């Protein structure tokens, strides 16, 4: 990529200010650039900073959106700064299927589609992606199918990763995928540590999700293939680290019904497989030492839901494994989303909470927005639609003696002023109760030092719980001293990458989030003086002619 002189100069100026101020906030850094001698050095560079500072102001007061802000060329300066930072970043949450480039997928998919099972694949792909998805003749076609569109949500997100899953029918495919992923992340996004979420067995009782050829590969093939691929890259780059995190689907339909009577039976079989592999291949122990749960969690929030897998997780914990859990991401009601996290900590004794946004939603804001939506519809004579999130939240509201108001809302009967006051009181007390519950769970998470992995793009695009990226709770959690990490989830599918996630976090709290703090969270480095020394090293590097 050709870098303009203006961009090179601004990278130098930005690094100098950041190093000399020990990584203060973005707003303060930009203001210092504007009050420096930059204007006399290069008028165009000064204009870039001034324009960007004004756009940032507009973004902060909701006059423009994040995508408009990110179109400005100064973002390239911020990207370059993060790419140049001497410490590698820790990718704490990345999945296999949605984090492979279209070019790689196509290189493996093309011979499969042209093989003896072509008709089967054609039928499957049309079922999942629609008639227009066929034929697939290039990496460009693949790219269009594997990326989530702006108007698509969580259900589509889970479905469109099917195409990538078709290639994982051999050990070699897993080896090549791991090596490819490590290469992309290390060289393009400055990532030196990867925590990979993957499924050892993709068998399912859902016909649409079944993959031809899965019977050709074993769990050992999957694990050892990924291990060997990452190990090959590690032999070439000694500072690269990786963790393999086998993930189990939460949905009760995801198990091999041809071999097992229940999901629990299949789950326990996989637990034994993991432990047997550790015994057979001791070299795995430093890399295969945790597991995770993934998928749609809406139906998994009660204690009995967690008890089914408790024995298996306990068995792993006695062998030194850590338990991660995707919870607090999606829910029928906010209370259930918090309850799911509560039970994951109490029953599974998790070490890390992935997503966890039910612990970051402001209940008072959440329920008042619910109240406003429903009142507006009620004034128009519209009943509350069943099976919507609003309907489910209303059904669990603490109505007390005001339950007749619920029936009026469901039927679309116009509320009187007195009725609206009663609705408001029910909403208010429910929000207060849930806020207390939420804070109790969050404080317990902090006391137990359970890490919380944030995924800004994934949380904003998939959950539907945030109107704006600025609503993401990362900064609030950071101020509460939550043990935070950052991940990208399925970055290709979500049209993002690790550097972009860092930019989102920085831009959405530009006045309070310190650049040094963001670097500490994303690198895992807790020694502030060492971070400062690395920033000064960057300053020295950008001032040498060789790096400009």
């Amino acid at each position: 990529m050709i870098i303009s002189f203006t961009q090179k100069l601004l990278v130098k100026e930005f690094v100098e200010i950041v190093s000399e101020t020990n990584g203060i906030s973005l707003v303060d850094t930009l203001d210092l650039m504007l009050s420096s001698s930059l204007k006399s050095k290069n008028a165009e560079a000064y204009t870039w900073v001034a324009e960007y500072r004004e756009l940032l102001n507009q973004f902060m007061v909701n006059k423009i959106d994040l995508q408009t802000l990110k179109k400005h060329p100064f973002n390239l300066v911020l990207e370059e700064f993060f790419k140049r930072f001497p410490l590698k970043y820790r990718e704490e949450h990345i999945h296999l299927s949605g984090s492979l480039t279209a070019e790689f997928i196509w290189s493996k998919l093309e011979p499969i589609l042209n093989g003896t099972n072509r008709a089967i694949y054609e039928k499957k792909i049309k079922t999942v992606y629609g008639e227009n998805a066929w034929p697939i003749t290039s990496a460009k076609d693949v790219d269009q199918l594997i990326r989530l569109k702006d108007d698509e949500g969580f259900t589509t997100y889970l479905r469109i990763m099917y195409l990538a899953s078709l290639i994982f029918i051999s050990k070699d495919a897993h080896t090549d995928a791991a090596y490819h992923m490590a290469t992309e992340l290390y060289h393009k996004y400055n990532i030196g540590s990867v925590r990979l979420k993957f499924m050892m067995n993709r068998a399912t009782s859902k016909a649409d999700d079944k993959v031809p050829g899965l019977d050709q590969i074993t769990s050992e093939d999957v694990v050892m293939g990924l291990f060997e691929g990452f190990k090959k890259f590690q032999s070439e780059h000694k500072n690269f680290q990786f963790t393999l995190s086998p993930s189990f689907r939460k949905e009760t339909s995801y198990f091999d019904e041809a071999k097992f009577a229940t999901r629990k039976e299949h789950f326990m079989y996989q637990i034994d497989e993991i432990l047997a592999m550790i015994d057979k291949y001791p070299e795995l122990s430093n890399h295969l030492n945790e597991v995770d749960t993934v998928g749609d969690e809406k139906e998994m929030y009660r204690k009995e839901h967690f008890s089914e897998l408790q024995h298996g997780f306990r068995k792993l914990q006695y062998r030194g494994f850590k338990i991660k859990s995707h919870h607090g991401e999606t829910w029928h009601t906010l209370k259930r989303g918090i309850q799911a996290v509560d039970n994951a900590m109490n029953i599974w004794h998790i070490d890390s909470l992935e997503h966890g946004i039910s612990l970051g939603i402001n209940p008072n804001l959440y329920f008042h927005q619910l109240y406003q939506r429903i009142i507006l519809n009620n004034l128009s004579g519209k009943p509350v639609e069943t099976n919507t999130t609003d309907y489910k939240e209303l059904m669990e509201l603490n109505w007390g003696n005001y339950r007749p108001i619920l029936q009026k809302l469901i039927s679309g009967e116009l509320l009187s002023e007195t009725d609206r006051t009663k609705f408001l009181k029910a909403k208010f007390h429910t929000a207060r109760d849930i806020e207390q519950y939420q804070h109790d769970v969050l404080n317990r998470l902090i006391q137990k030092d359970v890490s919380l992995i944030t995924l800004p793009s994934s949380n904003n695009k998939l959950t539907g719980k945030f109107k704006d990226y600025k609503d993401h709770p990362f900064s609030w959690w950071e101020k509460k001293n939550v043990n935070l990490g950052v991940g990208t989830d399925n970055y290709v599918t979500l049209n993002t990458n690790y550097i972009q996630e860092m930019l989102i976090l920085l831009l959405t709290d530009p006045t309070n989030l310190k650049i040094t703090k963001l670097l500490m969270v994303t690198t895992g480095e807790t020694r502030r003086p060492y971070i400062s020394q690395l920033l000064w090293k960057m300053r020295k590097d950008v001032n040498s002619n060789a790096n400009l």
Side-chain angles (χ1 to χ4, degrees), residues 37 67 77 90 139 158 174 182 220 231 259 270 377 389 399 402 461 531:
S37 59
Q67 297 310 315
V77 175
R90 300 169 62 92
L158 293 178
H174 287 80
E220 184 175 310
K231 268 295 184 182
K259 298 179 181 178
Q270 289 179 285
N377 285 333
T389 299
W399 291 103
Y402 302 150
K461 292 182 178 181
I531 294 288

Side-chain angles (χ1 to χ4, degrees), residues 2 8 21 50 65 84 88 120 146 167 187 193 216 223 263 266 278 319 367 380 383 431 438 452 467 475 505 512 547:
I2 299 175
K8 290 180 181 179
T21 59
D65 60 19
R84 283 173 176 254
K88 295 287 185 182
I120 296 176
I146 65 174
I167 70 175
H187 292 296
S193 177
Q216 302 172 19
V223 172
R263 192 265 297 265
H266 188 191
I278 294 292
R319 291 290 297 271
F367 281 100
S380 302
Q438 180 196 64
L452 201 165
K467 288 185 176 181
S475 288
L505 294 173
N512 297 307
N547 285 279

Side-chain angles (χ1 to χ4, degrees), residues 232-271:
K232 178 183 176 182
F233 186 83
Q234 191 181 57
S235 69
E236 301 166 359
H237 303 84
K238 303 301 182 184
N239 63 341
F240 177 76
Q241 300 295 326
F242 67 94
T243 299
L244 300 177
S245 186
S247 301
F248 306 99
R249 289 292 290 260
K250 302 186 190 79
E251 301 92 329
T252 56
S253 61
Y254 273 86
F255 70 95
D256 190 346
E257 62 177 0
K259 298 179 181 178
F260 303 95
T262 64
R263 192 265 297 265
K264 182 177 181 179
E265 185 181 333
H266 188 191
F267 170 71
M268 290 305 301
Y269 178 82
Q270 289 179 285
I271 297 296

Side-chain angles (χ1 to χ4, degrees), residues 302-481:
R302 296 184 186 278
K303 289 182 179 179
E304 55 263 34
H305 299 154
F306 289 83
S307 298
E308 182 182 6
L309 307 184
Q310 182 182 22
H311 176 63
F313 286 150
R314 183 184 294 146
K315 195 170 184 179
L316 289 175
Q317 286 166 326
Y318 283 133
R319 291 290 297 271
F321 275 68
K322 293 184 176 181
I323 309 300
K324 315 286 182 177
S325 179
H326 284 53
H327 273 103
E329 179 184 11
T330 58
W331 54 76
H332 286 307
T333 64
L334 178 57
K335 182 180 178 180
R336 293 186 187 183
I338 299 169
Q339 182 182 357
V341 176
D342 191 12
N343 284 326
M345 286 199 294
N346 290 337
I347 299 173
W348 288 351
H349 303 293
I350 59 173
D351 300 277
S352 177
L353 175 63
E354 317 287 310
H355 296 285
I357 61 170
S358 64
L359 299 188
I361 294 285
N362 184 324
N364 293 294
L365 174 63
Y366 178 85
F367 281 100
H368 200 74
Q369 289 172 335
L370 170 78
Y371 169 81
Q372 289 180 333
R373 285 194 304 271
I374 292 173
I375 287 297
L376 285 174
N377 285 333
N378 181 259
L379 291 172
S380 302
K382 296 178 182 178
V384 179
E385 295 182 18
T386 58
N387 295 322
T388 61
T389 299
D390 285 355
Y391 176 84
K392 292 168 185 174
E393 291 287 7
L394 282 179
M395 295 302 291
E396 292 195 5
L397 219 60
N398 184 13
W399 291 103
N401 296 325
Y402 302 150
R403 199 157 191 85
I405 308 301
L406 172 62
Q407 301 306 317
K408 291 183 179 181
L409 291 171
I410 292 173
S411 65
E413 181 181 342
L414 183 64
L415 298 187
S416 66
E417 185 64 33
T418 300
D419 290 338
R420 286 197 291 274
T421 300
K422 291 178 179 178
F423 179 19
L424 192 62
K425 288 181 178 179
K427 179 276 304 181
F428 178 84
H429 292 301
T430 300
R432 283 289 308 277
D433 290 344
I434 292 179
E435 180 184 42
Q436 184 66 55
Y437 182 32
Q438 180 196 64
H439 284 213
D440 287 346
V441 175
L442 180 61
N443 288 333
R444 191 151 22 93
L445 177 137
I446 295 169
Q447 292 164 3
K448 289 175 174 286
D449 198 30
V450 175
S451 60
L452 201 165
I453 309 304
T454 61
L455 304 101
S457 287
S458 176
N459 296 153
N460 280 275
K461 292 182 178 181
L462 301 180
T463 65
K465 306 304 181 186
F466 302 114
K467 288 185 176 181
D468 188 274
Y469 278 90
K470 292 190 290 295
D471 296 332
H472 192 278
F474 176 88
S475 288
W476 182 61
W477 286 333
E478 189 269 318
K479 291 177 181 64
K480 295 273 289 183
N481 292 318

